[in-house]
Amino acid sequence: MPTHLTEYASVPTSGARGVEPFELDGMHLLAIPQLAYDVPDTPANMNGGDSDTDLLLLRRGDNGYERWQSIPAPGGEDAEFFRIGDRAFLAVASIRTGSGPYRFATDSRVFEWNGSKFEGFQAFDGYAAKQWKHFRIDDEHFLALAQGVVLPGDDAENLPSRIYRWDGQRFAHFQDIESQWAYNWHAFTVDGRHFLAHADHVRPSVLYRWTGTRFEPHQELADRHGRAFAHFTADGETFLLVARLQSESVLLRWDGARFVAHQALKDPGAREFAVLEGTQGLYVVRVNFVLGTPDNPTTALNSQLYLWRERTLVEVEQFPTTGATDAAVIHEDDGTTLVAVSHSLTADLRFAARTVLYRFAG
């Protein structure tokens, strides 16, 4: 079987929970939020560590991507780069602060580029925040925060996921989305209609429809264990991938009115998808996070590469990952396609894992 993903570089990270590639002022950058640092002389614990961390900014140079700057961003779960006009922003979701006991009630921040570095622009009250998503509908800019966690005795502190709208100067609160343990958003358009998918671990993951004034529930996408989404168009049809951690992930197909079941992707563990094009057609990267329980987890898992064939995703390759959390596609100036995969844990449950760059040949 041919090798489509070849590892060619990696960078040291700690509890990396995402990887966000973007271009800014002629620079090729990667933003990597970090959940935690290892604490010396303490037992391995996937929910432990010191969460007073920095977000890493890597810059591509002659020797690949190298550490360039850092931004204080505790308990980093996600980074989202976006532009509004000629202004550039970087939003960072923070799940917690401290090194035990942890504080889940913590701000998540948006930073603005000042020409030489990102500086603080706006802070948002949050509770166990996990993902920012920027999207546009016509001329309006929205920024959505997925958040929440269900812990004994902490229910009263939990917050719903929230959508903010740009008012010309700042992001103002626009709408709450009911949630308990939310992870992700995905905004996309089908048949001229705007949709926003919301993933939740303990509640159903729901697809919302833009009515022109607010987001209304359109349909349920998964009953529980939701982690992330990706969509693509193939053979004249639109498909939506739903990643689930503790259940099989699914591929749904748009039937003109709603998404219906099309294919089950075997085995639990999925954390994120990335879609890319190759010479053989459309590919999907699936990265797997963890199996088992927090007290007895397995992080050393194979992740998958699928190829679209005859209206089905067919597995064509597996590659080893440890606690993988994100995958991002990078198109280099020389025509090379890279796939960056963040690893949040080692096989022995330490945070000092590496973010890996693969060269893609499809």
Side-chain angles (χ1 to χ4, degrees):
M1 182 178 296
T3 299
H4 300 281
L5 294 172
T6 303
E7 181 179 337
Y8 91 101
S10 64
V11 293
T13 50
S14 186
R17 307 294 274 196
V19 55
E20 172 78 346
F22 60 98
E23 295 183 23
L24 180 62
D25 290 352
M27 299 179 292
H28 295 262
L29 302 174
L30 296 179
I32 302 177
Q34 301 182 114
L35 170 66
Y37 301 132
D38 290 309
V39 178
D41 303 320
T42 61
N45 181 350
M46 66 176 289
N47 291 321
D50 177 1
S51 277
D52 292 331
T53 56
D54 290 337
L55 175 133
L56 297 181
L57 284 173
L58 307 179
R59 180 179 179 180
R60 193 187 69 190
D62 294 338
N63 298 315
Y65 285 90
E66 300 176 337
R67 185 165 177 164
W68 179 57
Q69 293 184 1
S70 60
I71 301 172
E77 278 281 323
D78 178 65
E80 175 83 340
F81 175 80
F82 61 96
R83 296 179 182 272
I84 299 178
D86 59 359
R87 302 170 69 176
F89 298 90
L90 186 64
V92 183
S94 293
I95 190 172
R96 66 185 193 183
T97 59
S99 54
Y102 301 99
R103 179 174 173 80
F104 290 96
T106 186
D107 288 346
S108 286
R109 297 181 178 270
V110 174
F111 300 86
E112 184 173 8
W113 180 248
N114 68 7
S116 60
K117 65 180 181 178
F118 284 98
E119 59 184 6
F121 172 74
Q122 190 173 355
F124 301 80
D125 292 338
Y127 191 85
K130 300 177 201 69
Q131 196 218 32
W132 282 112
K133 178 61 66 177
H134 167 263
F135 58 97
R136 288 181 61 180
I137 297 178
D138 299 326
D139 293 329
E140 294 197 274
H141 290 262
F142 295 89
L143 191 61
L145 183 63
Q147 62 182 342
V149 69
V150 178
L151 294 174
D154 284 349
D155 289 349
E157 296 186 53
N158 216 354
L159 293 175
S161 292
R162 285 184 170 153
I163 302 172
Y164 300 88
R165 182 169 59 180
W166 181 252
D167 67 6
Q169 296 182 326
R170 300 173 67 81
F171 285 99
H173 178 260
F174 177 73
Q175 183 179 343
D176 285 347
I177 297 294
E178 190 173 0
S179 62
Q180 283 189 281
W181 201 328
Y183 270 87
N184 219 310
W185 305 92
H186 186 66
F188 61 103
T189 303
V190 182
D191 296 341
R193 303 164 74 181
H194 299 285
F195 291 99
L196 181 64
H198 178 257
D200 198 292
H201 178 65
V202 298
R203 290 180 53 84
S205 294
V206 175
L207 182 67
Y208 290 84
R209 181 185 68 258
W210 175 245
T211 67
T213 57
R214 62 184 289 108
F215 294 92
E216 295 288 351
H218 183 75
Q219 71 172 99
E220 184 177 306
L221 298 172
D223 60 347
R224 55 181 178 164
H225 303 155
R227 280 301 184 277
F229 310 96
H231 81 281
F232 60 88
T233 300
D235 301 324
E237 296 184 289
T238 298
F239 297 87
L240 181 65
L241 285 155
V242 183
R244 299 203 291 172
L245 184 70
Q246 294 177 323
S247 307
E248 283 189 332
S249 295
V250 293
L251 177 66
L252 308 177
R253 184 185 73 258
W254 179 250
D255 71 359
R258 58 191 290 112
F259 283 95
V260 297
H262 183 79
Q263 180 184 352
L265 300 180
K266 67 177 183 179
D267 300 327
R271 174 71 179 228
E272 188 63 82
F273 291 111
V275 179
L276 68 164
E277 292 282 349
T279 58
Q280 301 301 311
L282 183 141
Y283 290 82
V284 171
V285 177
R286 163 184 163 169
V287 296
N288 295 316
F289 175 49
V290 65
L291 295 177
T293 66
D295 293 331
N296 187 28
T298 299
T299 62
L301 305 172
N302 283 330
S303 292
Q304 290 81 32
L305 178 69
Y306 302 94
L307 174 62
W308 182 253
R309 289 178 180 163
E310 298 179 354
R311 299 183 74 243
T312 303
L313 287 175
V314 178
E315 184 182 306
V316 294
E317 190 170 325
Q318 295 190 357
F319 58 102
T321 51
T322 57
T325 50
D326 198 11
V329 179
I330 306 169
H331 299 290
E332 298 282 78
D333 293 338
D334 63 1
T336 301
T337 298
L338 307 179
V339 177
V341 177
S342 54
H343 296 81
S344 63
L345 294 161
T346 62
D348 59 356
L349 304 185
R350 297 297 179 179
F351 294 108
R354 300 180 74 82
T355 293
V356 179
L357 296 171
Y358 296 89
R359 182 178 286 110
F360 170 74

